[in-house]
Amino acid sequence: MEKKLLVEGMMCMHCKATVEKALSAVPGVTAAAVDLEAKTATVHCGEDVTDEALCAAVEKKGFKATMA
């Protein structure tokens, strides 16, 4: 399953890497890719991964996340 998030607050490649690492650490996530320019993150995960868990992982790192 693929989910897309809008992520606010990313400004550099370090931010991109931080968000990708945070999303990849969520149990059930198999891949996470961030498009810095579009301010989006695309996550491949199992159906049991909740939108809330994904947003919480990003927000824990200091960014604002909403489902696209």
Side-chain angles (χ1 to χ4, degrees), residues 2 6 17-18 21 23 26 40 44 46 56 61 64-67:
E2 183 178 286
L6 298 174
T18 299
K21 187 174 180 181
L23 288 169
V26 174
T40 61
H44 294 273
K61 295 297 181 181
K64 182 171 171 32
T66 54
M67 299 310 292

Side-chain angles (χ1 to χ4, degrees), residues 2-67:
E2 183 178 286
K3 295 187 178 197
K4 190 167 269 198
L5 296 87
L6 298 174
V7 182
E8 294 179 38
M10 296 186 299
M11 301 168 93
C12 64
M13 294 303 285
H14 178 72
C15 295
K16 175 185 184 294
T18 299
V19 172
E20 286 177 342
K21 187 174 180 181
L23 288 169
S24 294
V26 174
V29 171
T30 56
V34 171
D35 183 334
L36 186 59
E37 211 171 281
K39 299 186 184 321
T40 61
T42 304
V43 178
H44 294 273
C45 58
E47 290 188 24
D48 58 332
V49 177
T50 64
D51 295 350
E52 292 79 14
L54 296 173
C55 289
V58 173
E59 290 176 358
K60 188 175 178 182
K61 295 297 181 181
F63 303 96
K64 182 171 171 32
T66 54
M67 299 310 292

